[in-house]
């Protein structure tokens, strides 16, 4: 149904250019073919409810309304869960797809330049789903984009399955043809160029000008100039038909302009104080004058510009009273689902009573928006409530409560800095009001996100709250202590572990399962180093038990995630697979996008470990798509971290993400060190060494704590790449106790590199510890073979060969190189590794292996005293062939073979053929 152009058509152009006419014409064509058409529109009103265009689309469909308003299956989700919006989007997309199954569905969305961000994000989500459905969306919007629409819609306009129709001004030929079709206006055809010039070719303005032109008299440009002095000065033309109306009708239309572009006769009757029948008659005057239009969605202004012009023509002193009347009329209906509209009208009314009402309704609008996961709109109304309370001189406690609501809304909307600012101000007001409960709440808003600077502020809030909180065993005190542990862990404070035990003890005594789970999470974070795997596993199993009884998806996930990470570290893929099944079940049963994201990222790590790189990329891309739809920066960052690790493993710069993704991320060493890693893989070693300089001090300076092992390992990886012997040795000493484990420390599994012994062996080779490296490579091969980690078996074999060669060369500086057995072993290892690199498509190490094979061949030739023919004879002696058999094989005489055998014995210092045969087998 959607045709070759895809499921989304965007019609753009300036106001009055004909976007709505084209969209409505398309709708009529669809309906004529039996296709269902649903219509929605955005309005130029700060009080418009979240998802207003989609609520209008859903009005005839109860199931779709339920999905949007969370009264259906989505209603069980926590509105404070920042990923909850995604769950609603999935439900809405599923329902729209279902509605389109039989006859198809065309959705008309008008004036998206005024749409709220949540409506636009829903359209972006639906766009990804529509390519597999019988849905077509036709959206109109003005071509000067700003605000939310400027952020979201470019993704759609660049999409592979969208078409943009940009309507432009009419030309002189178009205007000439138009004038020729209007009875009595043919004489204005010669003035078509002037009409076009003075209106800019805008169809709406041309129509207004044509209608205003005198039917008789001279057709001259002066007449047109008197009508349109300047292009932007069109109000007079737009409101000119008002003069045709009665005074009463003008008053009603003025009141209507305060209500909005689309009108409710019942509401207008109550606002104007006139009966419904009288209002209908007065509106008919507006329709006859061309100021209003009627259609499937009721009565509305002929154009948004007409409504704006009438509103702006009304005396400014009258508007506050009209807004108050509208607010009171809407309140009389109960205001359910209209809190944002009522708040907007009270905000534009005047007086103390109006300000109080504006605060009350803004708070209700905030809660309604949060319940619909319209996070940005929740922030907007929460800010209105805070500002209104400040103007009213409300008490410190009231303002603190409103600021906490604002801070929570800002955090969910991803506005971390503003959220922290709101919490700090709320804490100050709470202290002034002597409200320790509000002070504690301020300390608990920002959790699980931020930089060191953010955690320092939160730590201060926690300490201030605990200083005022009684020494009891309450859940609140336990939660404050747990939050304090998290901040200390992120700052790598030395007393973190002890503090985590205290927090857990208080939580246990509170008997509050939520507080206990938060304390377990804090304890887990405080010990995220490889050596604590046993305790982390114990915490994970307890968290699984507690989380199964929680209605919060993240609480249900924690234990399963920690168990999967310990399983990766212990090389237990059976448990990893079992945990993946359980995480998938949580994702399906709870419709949790964060659970699905974790499932995809863990599948990506598992696939990469086994050398299934295409599948790993697919899972990582799916995780990235979920991260973008959830608007979660931390999950997006892990996508790029995975790509970096895959690039390092394959030695392929094409795997890396853009450098901008690193520079835009939080300035953590673990993130920024990707720059020298990327430079080294690209072969830009001098630049890599320069970029690495700022990280070389970390092994000696970085405190043990969260992400310590991962950061130190990243430093070591660059040291290996740039042959930094000193730094490699430092990292080796620090991480040697982890040799028995595989990748992982509990801080979040981005990638699995198999046995840690291989990485430690790389460090040992770089730092000149060749015997230790060879032992570790052997251990790594055994572990990685058991795991089926084919890339890392091959990398271990390559490293072992390099270690053998390095040891041989190091020995040559103090004595002879030996008999060359190391060269033979190294050659076999490299050949095995190179074959696996080819099978798995690992290009960087393959280049290294091929170069090493060439080098080994040269050294083997230099080592052997035999000529090429003598080497052939010696090899056949190793097969226990007689002189006659050798002569037949090489097409030589038996006398010549005997001569070669005597020469071989002399050169090798042997006395028997058996000794030559043994030597030949060893050097084959």
């Amino acid at each position: 149904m959607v045709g070759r152009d895809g499921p989304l058509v965007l019609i753009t152009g300036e106001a009055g250019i004909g976007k709505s006419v084209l969209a409505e014409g398309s709708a009529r064509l669809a309906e004529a073919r039996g296709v269902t058409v649903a219509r929605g529109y955005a309005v130029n009103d700060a009080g418009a409810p979240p998802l207003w265009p989609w609520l209008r689309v859903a009005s005839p469909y109860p199931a779709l309304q339920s999905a949007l308003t969370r009264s259906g299956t989505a209603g069980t989700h926590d509105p404070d869960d920042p990923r909850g919006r995604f769950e609603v989007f999935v439900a809405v997309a599923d329902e729209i797809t279902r509605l389109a199954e039989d006859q198809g569905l065309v959705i008309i969305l008008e004036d998206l330049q005024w749409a709220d961000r949540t409506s636009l994000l829903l359209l972006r989500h639906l766009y990804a789903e529509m390519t597999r459905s019988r849905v077509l969306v036709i959206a109109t919007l003005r071509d000067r984009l700003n605000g939310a629409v400027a952020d979201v819609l470019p993704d759609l306009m660049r999409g592979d399955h969208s078409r943009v129709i940009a309507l432009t001004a009419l030309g002189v030929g178009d205007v000439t043809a138009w004038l020729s079709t209007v009875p009595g206006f043919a004489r204005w055809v010669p003035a078509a160029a002037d009409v076009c010039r003075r209106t800019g070719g805008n169809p709406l303005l041309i129509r207004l000008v044509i209608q205003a032109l005198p039917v008789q008299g001279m057709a001259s440009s002066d007449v047109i100039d008197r009508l349109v002095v300047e292009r932007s000065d069109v109000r007079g033309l737009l409101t000119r038909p008002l003069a045709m109306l009665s005074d009463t009708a003008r008053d009603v239309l003025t009141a209507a302009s305060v209500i909005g572009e689309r009108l409710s006769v019942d509401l207008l009757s109550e606002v104007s104080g006139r009966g419904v029948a009288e209002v209908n008659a007065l509106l008919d005057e507006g329709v006859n004058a061309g100021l209003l239009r009627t259609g499937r969605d009721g009565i509305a202004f002929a154009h948004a510009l007409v409504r704006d012009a009438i509103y702006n023509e009304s005396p400014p002193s009258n508007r506050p009273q009209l807004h108050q009347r509208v607010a009171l009329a809407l309140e009389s209906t109960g205001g359910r689902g209209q809190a944002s509209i009522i708040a907007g009208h009270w905000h534009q009314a005047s007086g103390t009573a109006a300000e109080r009402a504006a605060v009350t309704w803004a708070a209700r609008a905030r809660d309604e928006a949060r319940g619909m996961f319209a996070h940005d709109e929740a922030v907007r109304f929460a800010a209105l409530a805070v500002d209104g309370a400040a103007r009213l001189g409300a008490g410190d406690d009231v303002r603190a409560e409103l600021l906490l609501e604002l801070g929570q809304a800002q955090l969910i909307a991803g506005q971390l800095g503003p959220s922290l600012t709101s919490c700090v101000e709320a804490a100050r007001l709470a202290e002034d009001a002597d409200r320790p409960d509000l002070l504690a709440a301020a300390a608990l808003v920002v959790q699980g996100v931020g930089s060191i600077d953010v955690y320092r502020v939160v730590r201060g809030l926690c300490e201030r709250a605990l200083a005022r909180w009684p020494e009891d065993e309450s859940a609140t005190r336990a939660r404050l202590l747990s939050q304090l542990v998290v901040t200390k862990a992120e700052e790598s404070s030395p007393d973190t572990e002890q503090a985590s035990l205290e927090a857990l003890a208080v939580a246990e005594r509170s008997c509050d399962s939520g507080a206990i789970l938060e304390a377990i999470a804090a304890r887990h974070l405080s010990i995220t180093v490889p050596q604590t795997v046993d305790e982390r596993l114990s915490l994970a199993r307890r968290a699984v038990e507690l989380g199964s009884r929680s209605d919060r998806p993240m609480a249900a996930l924690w234990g399963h995630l920690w168990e999967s990470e310990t399983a990766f570290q212990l090389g237990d893929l059976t448990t990893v697979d079992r945990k993946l099944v359980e995480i998938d079940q949580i994702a399906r049963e709870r419709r949790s996008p964060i659970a699905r994201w974790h499932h995809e990222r863990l599948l990506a790590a598992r696939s990469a470990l086994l050398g299934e790189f295409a599948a790993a990329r697919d899972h990582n891309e799916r995780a990235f798509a979920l991260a973008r739809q959830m608007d979660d920066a931390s999950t997006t960052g892990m996508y790029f971290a995975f790509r970096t690790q895959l690039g390092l493993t394959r030695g392929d710069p094409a795997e890396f993400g853009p450098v901008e993704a690193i520079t835009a991320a939080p300035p953590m060493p673990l993130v920024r060190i990707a720059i020298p890693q990327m430079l080294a893989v690209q072969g830009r070693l001098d630049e890599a060494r320069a970029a690495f300089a700022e990280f070389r001090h970390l092994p000696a300076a970085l405190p043990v704590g969260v992400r310590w092992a991962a950061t130190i390992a990243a430093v070591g990886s660059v040291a290996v790449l740039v042959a930094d012997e000193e730094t490699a040795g430092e990292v080796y000493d620090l991480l040697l106790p982890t040799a028995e484990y595989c990748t992982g420390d509990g801080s979040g599994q981005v990638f699995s590199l198999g046995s840690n012994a291989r990485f430690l062996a790389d460090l040992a080779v770089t730092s000149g510890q060749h015997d230790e490296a060879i032992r570790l490579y052997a251990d790594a091969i055994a572990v990685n073979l058991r795991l089926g980690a084919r890339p890392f078996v091959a990398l271990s074999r390559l490293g072992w060969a390099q270690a053998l060669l390095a040891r041989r060369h190091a020995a040559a500086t103090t004595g002879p190189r030996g008999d060359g057995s190391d060269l033979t072993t190294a050659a076999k290892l490299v050949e095995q590794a190179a074959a696996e690199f080819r099978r798995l498509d690992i290009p960087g190490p393959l280049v290294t292996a091929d170069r090493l094979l060439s080098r080994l061949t040269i050294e083997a030739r230099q080592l052997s005293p035999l000529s090429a023919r003598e080497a052939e004879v010696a090899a056949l002696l190793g097969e226990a062939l007689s002189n006659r058999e050798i002569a037949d094989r090489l097409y030589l005489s038996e006398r010549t073979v005997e001569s070669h055998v005597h020469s071989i014995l002399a050169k090798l210092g042997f006395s028997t053929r058996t000794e030559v045969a043994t030597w030949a087998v060893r050097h084959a």
Side-chain angles (χ1 to χ4, degrees):
M1 185 200 85
V2 298
R4 61 182 176 82
D5 292 317
L8 176 63
V9 177
L10 299 168
I11 305 174
T12 68
E14 64 182 13
I17 203 69
K19 303 183 296 294
S20 296
V21 173
L22 179 56
E24 188 56 34
S26 303
R28 285 196 298 271
L29 286 173
E31 287 174 327
R33 289 163 171 77
V35 178
T36 303
V37 176
R39 294 169 173 82
Y41 53 84
V43 293
N44 185 17
D45 191 330
L51 291 170
W52 180 249
W54 293 103
L55 289 169
R56 301 308 303 156
V57 168
S59 57
Y61 310 108
L64 184 54
Q65 283 181 310
S66 295
L68 277 166
T69 59
R70 301 173 60 250
S71 59
T73 56
T76 60
H77 302 310
D78 181 0
D80 289 339
D81 178 1
R83 289 101 178 183
R85 175 168 61 194
F86 178 76
E87 301 171 45
V88 172
F89 287 1
V90 170
V92 171
D94 289 347
E95 183 58 29
I96 286 177
T97 300
R98 188 192 66 76
L99 287 172
E101 282 178 356
D102 295 332
Q103 301 299 321
L105 177 64
V106 172
I107 299 175
I108 307 291
L109 296 174
E110 293 199 61
D111 292 320
L112 283 191
Q113 72 276 359
W114 294 324
D116 59 283
R117 181 180 294 274
T118 308
S119 292
L120 295 166
L121 292 174
L122 175 52
L123 175 59
R124 188 175 72 181
H125 178 94
L126 184 61
Y127 172 67
E129 301 288 333
M130 288 190 303
T131 56
R132 300 182 296 275
S133 70
R134 302 188 66 203
V135 181
L136 170 65
V137 173
I138 300 175
T140 70
L141 64 154
R142 296 183 185 176
D143 50 11
R144 291 195 179 104
L145 305 183
N146 53 60
V149 72
D151 295 338
V152 178
L153 276 187
D155 291 342
L156 304 178
M157 299 173 82
R158 291 191 296 266
D160 294 334
H161 301 288
S162 65
R163 180 182 180 186
V164 179
I165 301 175
L167 299 184
T168 56
L170 299 180
V172 175
D174 301 317
V175 177
T176 299
W178 191 354
L179 291 173
S180 300
T181 63
V182 179
F185 282 86
R187 63 193 181 83
W188 284 100
V189 169
D194 289 318
V195 171
C196 200
R197 174 176 56 84
R198 302 308 285 158
T199 61
N202 183 290
L204 175 63
L205 298 182
I206 291 172
R207 180 172 62 80
L208 292 170
V209 168
I210 291 173
Q211 290 173 343
L213 288 173
V215 177
Q216 297 179 350
M218 293 296 295
S220 68
S221 59
D222 292 341
V223 176
I224 299 171
D225 286 342
R226 286 197 299 271
L227 288 171
V228 188
V229 178
E230 291 294 341
R231 168 76 200 289
S232 60
D233 186 15
V234 298
R235 189 182 302 161
L237 278 175
L238 294 168
T239 60
R240 184 168 180 161
L242 278 175
M244 302 164 51
L245 306 183
S246 64
D247 291 344
T248 309
R250 281 198 296 274
D251 289 343
V252 168
L253 258 66
T254 299
S257 72
V258 173
I259 293 174
E261 187 181 340
R262 267 79 172 180
L263 305 177
S264 162
V265 175
D266 291 337
L267 178 59
L268 188 52
S269 172
E270 190 164 350
V271 171
S272 65
R274 303 176 187 279
V276 171
E278 182 183 3
V279 169
N280 273 321
L282 296 170
L283 291 177
D284 285 343
E285 289 189 43
V287 172
N288 294 333
L291 295 168
L292 301 175
R293 61 175 174 82
T294 57
R296 292 180 179 83
D297 54 353
I299 192 164
F301 282 96
H303 197 279
L305 293 176
V306 175
R307 181 253 179 169
D308 293 345
I310 293 175
Y311 182 87
N312 291 322
E313 280 287 290
S314 65
S317 58
N318 290 348
R319 295 175 201 159
Q321 185 180 9
L322 287 171
H323 281 292
Q324 181 171 329
R325 286 185 195 170
V326 175
L328 289 169
L330 291 171
E331 281 186 4
S332 68
T333 66
R336 186 174 182 275
Q338 294 184 305
S340 55
I341 297 175
I342 296 171
H345 285 295
W346 278 124
H347 191 65
Q348 295 180 78
S350 60
T352 303
E355 192 71 75
R356 287 198 188 96
V359 171
T360 299
W361 283 97
R364 286 183 60 174
R366 173 203 66 213
D367 294 341
E368 281 187 2
R370 181 181 294 174
M372 297 173 70
F373 299 98
H375 306 317
D376 297 276
E377 288 66 45
V379 169
R380 179 161 59 89
F381 289 113
L384 278 177
V386 168
D387 293 343
R391 286 193 297 271
L392 284 170
D396 290 342
D397 55 343
V398 173
R399 291 169 59 200
E401 288 176 351
L402 291 172
L403 275 165
L404 287 174
E405 294 286 355
L406 174 59
Q408 185 69 36
Q410 289 167 326
L411 181 68
I412 296 171
Q415 302 173 19
L416 177 58
S419 174
L420 192 62
T421 300
S422 296
C423 292
V424 169
E425 178 61 12
R428 184 187 67 79
L429 292 171
E431 286 176 317
D432 291 344
D434 194 22
R435 289 285 301 274
D437 58 326
L438 295 179
L439 180 56
L444 293 171
V445 169
V446 177
Q447 295 194 42
V449 292
S451 63
I452 293 297
D453 292 336
V454 169
Y455 282 114
R456 284 176 182 149
V457 174
V458 175
R459 179 175 179 174
L461 293 176
C462 288
E463 290 170 343
R464 286 158 58 187
L466 285 166
R468 288 175 175 256
W469 198 265
E471 291 284 334
D472 59 10
E473 306 300 336
S474 68
T476 298
R477 183 163 178 266
R479 292 186 68 209
L480 285 169
L481 288 170
S482 298
Q483 175 82 319
L484 186 60
V485 168
V486 171
T487 66
K488 288 182 174 182
E490 292 289 350
E491 295 183 70
S492 301
S493 297
D495 62 337
T496 301
E497 282 199 52
Q498 184 57 41
S500 70
L501 292 173
E502 179 188 351
L504 185 55
V506 174
E508 298 277 15
R509 291 194 290 269
S510 77
C511 297
D512 184 287
S513 59
I516 294 172
L517 195 53
E518 287 186 28
I520 288 174
R523 174 64 182 171
H524 184 275
L525 181 68
S526 72
I527 59 170
T528 49
V529 290
Q531 296 90 324
T532 61
V533 64
D534 291 335
E535 183 180 354
R536 284 188 281 111
L537 183 56
S538 176
L539 292 171
R541 288 169 176 164
R542 182 138 188 241
V544 168
E545 178 187 354
L546 288 169
S548 65
R549 301 194 293 268
S550 173
D551 59 357
R552 295 180 58 196
M554 201 63 230
L557 272 174
W558 269 337
H560 294 292
L561 294 175
W562 301 340
E563 273 199 81
S564 68
E565 290 175 0
T566 57
F568 268 116
Q569 184 183 343
L570 295 173
D572 180 4
L573 290 189
T574 300
T575 298
V576 169
D577 291 341
R578 179 168 55 84
K579 289 289 110 181
L580 282 168
V581 170
E582 291 168 344
I583 293 169
D584 174 62
Q585 185 175 353
I586 293 173
R588 284 186 289 103
E589 291 180 354
R590 304 202 180 202
R591 299 188 69 159
S592 169
I594 189 61
R596 179 60 61 208
W597 175 81
H598 280 296
H599 187 247
E600 293 292 349
R601 74 170 179 85
L602 290 170
L603 282 172
R606 187 190 187 284
S607 297
L609 174 66
L610 302 183
E612 299 165 357
F613 298 129
R617 292 187 196 94
D618 286 344
H619 289 303
N620 193 42
E621 289 297 333
R622 284 198 281 271
F624 183 50
L626 288 164
R628 291 187 63 195
Q629 290 170 333
M630 291 187 295
D631 284 337
D632 192 315
S634 62
T635 54
T636 301
M638 292 183 75
Y639 163 80
F640 291 108
F642 181 92
R643 288 184 59 176
T644 298
Q645 288 300 322
L646 189 57
L648 290 169
T649 299
R650 295 186 64 248
D652 185 359
E655 296 284 4
F656 297 126
V659 174
E660 292 77 16
I662 300 169
T663 55
M668 299 164 51
L670 185 56
V671 174
R672 289 186 295 105
I673 201 167
I675 292 177
Q677 287 175 327
M678 292 164 64
L679 290 170
V681 172
Q682 291 167 355
R684 299 154 63 182
L685 293 181
D686 289 340
E687 294 175 71
R689 291 186 183 97
F692 183 50
E694 65 172 292
F695 301 98
R696 296 183 74 244
H697 74 287
L698 287 177
L702 189 68
V704 175
V706 179
R707 291 178 288 277
W708 173 84
T711 303
I712 295 301
V715 171
S717 72
V718 182
V720 170
L721 289 167
V722 301
D724 185 331
E725 180 178 344
E726 179 183 352
T727 307
E730 292 181 53
V731 174
Y732 174 83
D733 292 339
L734 289 171
L735 296 184
L736 186 58
T738 71
E740 64 181 292
Y741 301 121
C742 295
T743 309
D745 63 0
S747 62
Q749 194 79 28
V750 174
F751 204 88
S752 180
L753 300 168
S755 171
N756 285 345
R758 180 192 65 84
F759 175 61
L760 286 161
D762 290 346
L763 292 166
V765 171
T766 305
S767 57
Q769 303 174 73
H770 305 120
D771 290 334
E772 284 301 300
I774 291 167
R775 178 183 62 79
L776 287 166
Y777 280 128
D779 292 344
I781 289 174
V783 172
N784 289 330
L785 280 171
R786 176 178 59 80
L787 289 173
R790 293 169 60 189
F792 305 103
V793 171
L795 287 168
S796 299
R797 284 172 172 155
L798 176 62
W800 190 346
Q802 291 171 315
L804 288 170
L805 197 59
R807 183 178 67 176
R808 177 179 176 79
H809 289 172
T813 62
T814 57
R817 291 189 177 186
D819 62 4
S821 59
D822 281 352
L823 295 182
T824 304
T825 302
K828 288 182 178 178
L829 289 167
V830 177
E831 286 171 355
Q832 290 174 322
E836 191 73 290
F837 294 150
R838 287 189 177 89
R839 281 191 292 268
L840 297 177
D841 186 23
I842 304 180
L846 177 59
V847 170
T848 302
D850 286 342
R851 289 175 179 168
L852 189 56
L853 274 176
S854 298
R855 180 179 169 189
L856 287 167
T857 300
I858 293 171
E859 290 210 17
R861 287 173 179 167
Q862 291 174 343
L863 178 66
S864 175
L866 305 181
S867 69
R869 179 61 79 182
E870 288 169 344
E872 287 182 287
V873 172
L876 294 174
L877 286 172
E879 296 180 22
L881 299 183
S882 66
N883 287 357
R884 166 52 57 191
E885 290 171 323
I886 294 172
D888 292 342
R889 183 80 62 88
L890 297 179
Y891 302 102
L892 299 174
S893 68
E894 191 172 352
R895 183 184 293 269
T896 301
V897 170
E898 187 177 346
S899 176
H900 284 314
V901 170
H902 285 305
S903 178
I904 292 167
L905 290 170
K907 287 182 177 181
L908 296 179
F910 296 151
S911 58
T912 68
R913 292 167 64 96
T914 301
E915 290 176 296
V916 175
T918 302
W919 179 91
V921 169
R922 203 168 63 233
H923 289 79

